[in-house]
Each structure stands twice: as C-alpha cells, then as structure tokens.
Amino acid sequence: MAQNQPDVIFVGNKPPMSYVLAIITAFSSGSIKEITLKARGQAITTAVDVAEITRSRFIKELKVTKIAIGTAEMPPREGENKSRMVSTIEITLLK
Amino acid sequence: MAQNQPDVIFVGNKPPMSYVLAIITAFSSGSIKEITLKARGQAITTAVDVAEITRSRFIKELKVTKIAIGTAEMPPREGENKSRMVSTIEITLLK
C-alpha cells in the first residue's frame, strides 16, 4: 500500500485546489513525509500557488526544502520541425 | 556609478528577452556579481524562463544560488472589497 502513494505530483492545467487536495491526501496516508511537485511552462505558476496555498491554509508545518529550475526539450508541434525548450520547476515539500 | 546598477530586477509582462538583456547589461558593468529576479503571479513562469535562457544561452557560468517562493497580499480590485493573495518568486543569480 505505502509504495503506491505518489511522492511526485505533476502539476498541469487543473485548478490549483485539485493538486492541493492530492498533497493533503498523500500526506494524510501517514507513510509519506516528502512530496515533490513538478511542473513546466505556464504550470510553473500553478505549482508555486499549490505549494503556497497548501502551506498557508492547510498544513502549517509544511516546509519547502528544495526548489530547482531547469529546461526540458519538448518534441516539435505538428507541422513544425524544431523542438522547443520549456522551463521546468521542482518544489520539494517536507511535512 | 556602481551603486546605480540594479541588483534587483522585477519581472513583469514584457517578453523574456528584455529581462535577459537587462541581466546581461547589469553583469557586464563589472561591478555586480549577484542579481535577484522578483516576480509574482503569471510572471513567475517568465522569471524562470529568463533565468534559464540567460544561463543556457548567454552566461554559461551563471549559477542559481537561491530560489524562494512566498505569498504577497494585493489590494482589492476596483469594485471588490477583498484583498487577493498572489504567489511570488525570487531567483538569485551569481556570476
């Protein structure tokens, strides 16, 4: 059971609260102490919102232990032939 | 002269390259070793893009020494009476 709980949550286009709930659920299982949020492109802002909402409203003792930024290569869009570079972020949360 | 060079750059709605150029200009003055990018809301993604573009394409030796996220309170929009919370990011770059 414990191994099935996610310790990485990919943040995409859903509203921030759905990711906040995923974090709360994962931590409340009791077996997880650390969760990493991963996002890229416009979802980077959402990932920061998710971390801040979770920390300020729901899990006061939550600590941001690591933030890393990077660049990922995305395959070209249909009809284009150049791959695109997209920024990424990883935010690690410790309860 | 040296004191007039900005060591904080506020990232807003302009295209990423205008901030990249501001960083390159500030570093090339020679008197600055460290610059902090500050952004909030949707500009958070732009700030990450700016840091990544500067590092990968222009100043290879650039290091991200610190990334901090937080929440700021914004005054209510006209006609509303509740202040809004907005996420913030600070990215410190060392040459």
Side-chain angles (χ1 to χ4, degrees):
Chain A
M1 275 293 278
Q3 296 91 321
N4 294 331
Q5 291 291 344
D7 54 358
V8 172
I9 293 177
F10 290 91
V11 176
N13 300 323
K14 293 185 206 163
M17 279 308 291
S18 42
Y19 304 106
V20 171
L21 284 173
I23 295 173
I24 294 171
T25 306
F27 276 135
S28 67
S29 76
S31 58
I32 282 185
K33 290 279 159 208
E34 198 173 77
I35 288 175
T36 300
L37 301 176
K38 294 191 181 190
R40 57 190 180 193
Q42 282 302 322
I44 288 173
T45 301
T46 311
V48 174
D49 287 341
V50 167
E52 284 297 306
I53 292 169
T54 309
R55 183 168 62 167
S56 62
R57 289 202 227 152
F58 296 100
I59 311 179
K60 307 278 180 189
E61 72 270 29
L62 200 69
K63 285 194 171 52
V64 175
T65 50
K66 196 184 153 195
I67 305 173
I69 60 175
T71 304
E73 202 174 335
M74 301 276 289
R77 272 183 255 246
E78 221 175 283
E80 297 180 1
N81 51 16
K82 271 176 67 178
S83 61
R84 294 167 298 132
M85 305 310 277
V86 63
S87 296
T88 63
I89 198 167
E90 294 188 19
I91 303 174
T92 303
L93 304 170
L94 182 77
K95 190 185 174 184
Chain B
M1 273 293 276
Q3 295 92 318
N4 293 333
Q5 290 292 342
D7 53 0
V8 171
I9 293 176
F10 290 92
V11 176
N13 300 322
K14 293 184 207 164
M17 279 310 289
S18 42
Y19 303 106
V20 171
L21 284 174
I23 295 173
I24 295 171
T25 307
F27 275 134
S28 68
S29 76
S31 59
I32 283 185
K33 289 280 159 208
E34 197 173 78
I35 288 175
T36 300
L37 301 177
K38 295 191 179 190
R40 58 190 180 192
Q42 283 301 322
I44 288 174
T45 301
T46 311
V48 174
D49 287 342
V50 167
E52 284 297 306
I53 291 168
T54 309
R55 182 169 61 169
S56 63
R57 289 202 227 151
F58 296 99
I59 310 178
K60 307 278 182 192
E61 72 270 31
L62 200 68
K63 284 192 172 52
V64 176
T65 50
K66 195 183 154 195
I67 305 174
I69 60 174
T71 304
E73 201 173 336
M74 300 277 287
R77 272 183 255 246
E78 221 176 282
E80 297 180 0
N81 52 16
K82 272 175 66 178
S83 62
R84 295 166 298 131
M85 304 309 278
V86 63
S87 297
T88 62
I89 198 166
E90 293 189 19
I91 303 173
T92 303
L93 304 171
L94 181 78
K95 191 184 174 184

